[in-house]
């Protein structure tokens, strides 16, 4: 559906990303998924396009895009490979926090290398006993010899082992709960940073998911991002942004599934007619298209609220609604796409089963959809 009020620049950016996705991503996505491989050379090409720097200003080597354009970029990329889009999203979330909260020295040290794609970033919050209840994290950061010593394990971390820079949340003061959490930058190569098992996932396999093992990991005091005790607040703010990215990815993924199913339905002949002529199939297609459009509206609205400097609470609500609705929609739409392809839909030769496996993961990452409902309900009842 046509979106009103886009500038020529926004249209041009979306066009470039679409062409890139069609040429460099879409034809290879099934292969990366099968081989469970993150194609770093393709990420580097994305960086050459300016995508790794899209959340930062030019001053730090970034190629800043407003939130709406960014959402449209993530939507386009996800039509090709949602796992690649997710890796980029995490990377840009870390860049965003550094630009917003780090001191000038840290920004100058890291941002140009992050924005150029030389340093891939990873966001390490989740632990074995702290998933939805992330503030219950147990990784400790003890102040010692003017710096900090980190100990603990992080699980399910995107780009673990692949990334050059890790945004790690750890407790500097156990007695203060969420207010005792501080964020640190830990570079790959630090002798105290190890990588545990690389997970074998149901899908999303072009994005690496693994474990960080912090063992007496010594970092200087200037590895602290922003202020001591503020790490969880930064994480929550970034998750709002991440949720809008995820919503945009879900819209792109669902659109790819609909586009494929639609073409298939027009060409597949049963009972002497294309299956698209059967009303049962038409109704599925119609619902898929309508729900995708509704999700796109929620997503773009959340992005526009951010672009217009809406209050934090308003952004949190809009991001939670968009993330919940679009990812549930992607799950339904991709499942229906498999249904429309029938037996062929279950085969890896066709992309829709991969879309369905990815959609399930979108309902879980960046806060499960139950957590999104809690966020929405909390504001309704406040
Ligand atoms: C592919 C992938 C990539 C990831 N990447 C990262 C990353 O880069 N960085 C990072 O830090 N983390 C990452 N994660 C972790 C992700 O954020 C967590 O898996 C997610 O937040 C859920 O935590 P959990 O898995 O421990 O589930 P749990 O919190 O144990 O939840 C289990 C179930 O209980 C439900 N539940 C929990 N609490 C409530 C409640 N109060 N009310 C109702 N239902 C509830 C949940 O919705 C869920 O259905 C990734 C996960 C995956 C799968």
């Amino acid at each position: 559906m046509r979106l009103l009020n886009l500038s020529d620049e926004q249209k041009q950016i979306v066009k470039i990303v679409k062409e890139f996705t069609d040429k460099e991503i879409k034809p290879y996505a099934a292969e990366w998924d099968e081989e469970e491989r993150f194609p770093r050379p393709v990420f580097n090409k994305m960086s050459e396009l300016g995508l790794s720097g899209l959340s930062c200003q030019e001053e730090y080597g970034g190629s800043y895009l407003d939130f709406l354009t960014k959402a449209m970029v993530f939507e386009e990329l996800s039509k090709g490979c949602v796992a690649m889009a997710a890796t980029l999203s995490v990377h840009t979330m870390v860049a965003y926090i550094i630009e917003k909260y780090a001191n000038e020295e840290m920004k100058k040290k890291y941002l140009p290398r992050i924005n150029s794609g030389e340093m891939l970033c990873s966001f390490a919050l989740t632990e074995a006993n702290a998933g939805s209840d992330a503030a219950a994290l147990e990784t400790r950061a003890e102040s010692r010899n003017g710096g900090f010593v980190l100990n603990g394990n992080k699980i399910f971390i995107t780009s673990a082992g692949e990334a050059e820079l890790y945004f790690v949340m750890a407790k500097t003061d156990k007695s203060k709960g969420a207010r005792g959490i501080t964020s640190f930058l830990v570079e790959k190569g630090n002798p105290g940073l190890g990588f545990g098992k690389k997970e074998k996932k149901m899908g999303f396999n072009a994005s690496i998911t693994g474990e960080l093992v912090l063992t007496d990991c010594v970092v200087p005091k200037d590895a602290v991002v922003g202020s001591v005790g503020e790490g969880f607040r930064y994480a929550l703010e970034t998750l709002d942004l991440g949720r809008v990215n995820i919503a945009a990815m879900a819209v792109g993924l669902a659109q790819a599934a609909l586009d494929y199913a639609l073409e298939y339905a027009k060409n597949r002949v049963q009972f002497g007619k294309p299956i698209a002529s059967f009303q049962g199939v038409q109704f599925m297609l119609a619902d898929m298209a309508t729900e995708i459009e509704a999700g796109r509206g929620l997503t773009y609205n959340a992005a526009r609220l951010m672009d217009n400097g809406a209050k934090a609470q308003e952004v949190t609500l809009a991001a939670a609604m968009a993330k919940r609705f679009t990812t549930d929609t992607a799950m339904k739409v991709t499942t229906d796409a498999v249904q429309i392809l029938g037996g062929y839909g279950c085969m890896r030769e066709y992309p829709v089963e991969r879309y369905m496996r990815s959609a399930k993961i979108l309902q879980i990452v960046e806060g499960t959809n139950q957590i999104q409902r809690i966020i929405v309900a909390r504001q309704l009842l406040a």
Side-chain angles (χ1 to χ4, degrees):
M1 207 172 277
R2 192 163 67 93
L3 187 70
L4 298 174
N5 298 330
L6 288 186
S7 68
D8 288 345
E9 194 190 349
Q10 285 173 315
K11 287 182 200 159
Q12 184 62 17
I13 290 167
V14 173
K15 183 170 173 276
I16 290 169
V17 176
K18 181 187 172 349
E19 285 167 4
F20 178 83
T21 303
D22 288 345
K23 181 163 175 260
E24 304 282 353
I25 295 184
K26 210 170 190 169
Y28 310 104
E31 186 182 311
W32 302 330
D33 188 63
E34 194 68 35
E35 293 172 2
E36 303 185 0
R37 180 165 66 83
F38 168 61
R40 183 68 183 253
V42 179
F43 180 82
N44 294 343
K45 285 188 184 171
M46 285 161 75
S47 299
E48 281 162 23
L49 267 191
L51 299 181
S52 55
L54 53 70
S55 66
C56 290
Q57 302 294 335
E58 258 178 55
E59 186 187 351
Y60 299 108
S63 47
Y64 181 82
L65 294 181
D66 58 80
F67 288 102
L68 177 60
T69 312
K70 221 182 306 188
M72 293 189 290
V73 165
F74 280 109
E75 183 180 332
E76 284 308 320
L77 290 172
S78 303
K79 291 177 187 169
C81 179
V82 71
M84 283 296 279
T87 300
L88 178 70
S89 171
V90 171
H91 172 86
T92 60
M93 282 159 64
V94 174
Y96 172 87
I97 312 180
I98 296 174
E99 187 176 73
K100 185 150 183 195
Y101 293 108
N103 60 30
E104 206 49 40
E105 203 184 330
M106 183 180 265
K107 288 192 219 180
K108 288 202 169 117
K109 180 172 177 191
Y110 289 111
L111 285 179
R113 294 164 72 195
I114 292 172
N115 290 327
S116 69
E118 181 192 334
M119 277 189 140
L120 174 67
C121 296
S122 178
F123 180 89
L125 178 64
T126 304
E127 298 181 4
N129 295 321
S132 299
D133 184 11
L137 65 87
E138 292 163 359
T139 296
R140 300 180 315 279
E142 286 170 60
S143 172
R144 207 183 294 167
N145 302 329
F148 288 89
V149 180
L150 276 58
N151 277 289
N153 283 18
K154 298 282 177 185
I155 62 162
F156 302 163
I157 304 306
T158 299
S159 302
E162 289 283 341
E164 283 78 28
L165 193 63
Y166 295 82
F167 180 84
V168 177
M169 273 140 286
K171 286 225 165 109
T172 36
D173 187 342
K174 221 173 146 183
S175 68
K176 289 192 179 157
R179 288 180 183 275
I181 295 173
T182 301
S183 45
F184 297 87
L185 290 186
V186 183
E187 291 186 31
K188 186 179 190 177
N190 183 316
L193 173 65
F195 303 107
K197 108 173 135 134
K198 179 180 158 189
E199 300 292 348
K200 289 192 79 66
K201 305 192 296 289
M202 64 186 290
F204 233 70
N205 291 318
S207 175
I208 301 304
T209 310
E211 189 182 11
L212 301 193
V213 183
L214 297 145
T215 315
D216 293 329
C217 178
V218 178
V219 294
K221 76 170 185 322
D222 52 17
V224 171
V225 181
S227 308
V228 169
E230 292 291 319
F232 199 64
R233 184 170 69 81
Y234 306 154
L236 291 186
E237 184 187 325
T238 317
L239 286 173
D240 279 345
L241 185 127
R243 282 167 191 159
V244 178
N245 293 349
I246 294 282
M249 290 178 220
V251 171
L253 178 68
Q255 186 68 55
L258 170 61
D259 293 347
Y260 200 93
L262 187 61
E263 276 315 299
Y264 185 89
K266 288 195 268 186
N267 292 306
R268 171 70 174 167
V269 174
Q270 287 293 280
F271 301 100
K273 293 177 187 168
I275 59 168
S277 67
F278 302 130
Q279 202 176 47
V281 173
Q282 288 175 4
F283 281 9
M284 280 169 91
L285 291 167
D287 284 351
M288 288 156 86
T290 307
E291 282 157 35
I292 292 169
E293 204 49 42
R296 186 174 282 123
L298 280 173
T299 305
Y300 289 2
N301 187 52
R304 282 190 160 123
L305 284 171
M306 293 201 274
D307 283 327
N308 285 288
K311 283 192 206 133
Q313 237 189 349
E314 218 179 337
V315 168
T316 300
L317 179 67
M321 284 179 169
K323 194 273 176 182
R324 203 287 293 161
F325 185 84
T326 55
T327 56
D328 283 352
T329 295
M331 191 70 249
K332 182 169 182 301
V333 166
T334 54
T335 306
D336 286 349
V338 172
Q339 193 69 23
I340 288 172
L341 267 74
Y344 297 94
C346 305
M347 305 302 160
R348 292 208 173 179
E349 258 176 273
Y350 294 83
V352 288
E353 62 80 34
R354 173 165 48 88
Y355 297 158
M356 188 176 121
R357 290 185 280 116
S358 297
K360 185 69 238 173
I361 291 176
L362 291 179
Q363 290 181 302
I364 292 167
V365 293
E366 307 285 349
T368 67
N369 284 3
Q370 285 71 35
I371 296 302
Q372 305 312 314
R373 288 178 173 94
I374 291 173
I375 294 168
V376 174
R378 200 179 281 151
Q379 287 213 26
L380 291 177
L381 297 166

